[in-house]
Amino acid sequence: MTYQAAPLRLLPWLSPEGKPCYLAPDSNGGVISRLADKTEARQLAEGLDVCRSARRVLDDPLTPNAEVRYTAIRLTECLADALRVAESRGRRLSPADEESDSDPREGRATGLAPEAGP
């Protein structure tokens, strides 16, 4: 019998040096796992709020450039958070989950926009 360790979990925050943080999760889920879950949920909810606000800003043709710029900065931050959450969750999928989400004809996950050609 061989022991397979659970994959490291990418946490939804960076170290003070700006490097990724990882957690070796246990089967019961610990305090840090629960904190990471809550942080991910907060980040995704904040992203949704920022997206809604951005629509209002961008729908108004008279919005000042500074406000449009600030909105773009916040959208970029929220997108980075959402991509980090997606990466973390994707790493934790079991091989069976990954196989069911892929399209063998395409060789990549379904639901993604096709890559732009040259």
Side-chain angles (χ1 to χ4, degrees):
M1 177 192 245
T2 60
Y3 173 76
Q4 275 192 322
L8 294 177
R9 177 179 181 171
L10 176 63
L11 295 173
W13 53 78
L14 299 173
S15 74
E17 297 81 28
K19 296 182 179 181
C21 295
Y22 296 91
L23 174 68
D26 63 9
S27 59
N28 300 329
V31 174
I32 301 298
S33 278
R34 288 191 297 277
L35 177 62
D37 290 342
K38 289 178 184 176
T39 301
E40 287 178 351
R42 181 188 48 76
Q43 288 173 330
L44 294 175
E46 182 179 355
L48 185 59
D49 289 343
V50 170
C51 189
R52 287 179 182 146
S53 296
R55 283 192 181 112
R56 287 192 299 272
V57 167
L58 298 174
D59 283 345
D60 182 358
L62 301 177
T63 301
N65 287 342
E67 193 171 345
V68 172
R69 180 168 160 54
Y70 175 75
T71 299
I73 290 168
R74 290 293 295 132
L75 284 169
T76 302
E77 293 168 351
C78 291
L79 177 59
D81 287 345
L83 291 172
R84 186 173 192 81
V85 170
E87 180 182 354
S88 176
R89 292 180 180 181
R91 288 178 177 209
R92 290 181 276 150
L93 289 175
S94 69
D97 291 337
E98 290 175 1
E99 289 174 12
S100 66
D101 288 343
S102 65
D103 182 346
R105 296 169 293 153
E106 298 290 328
R108 61 181 179 258
T110 57
L112 299 176
E115 295 177 13

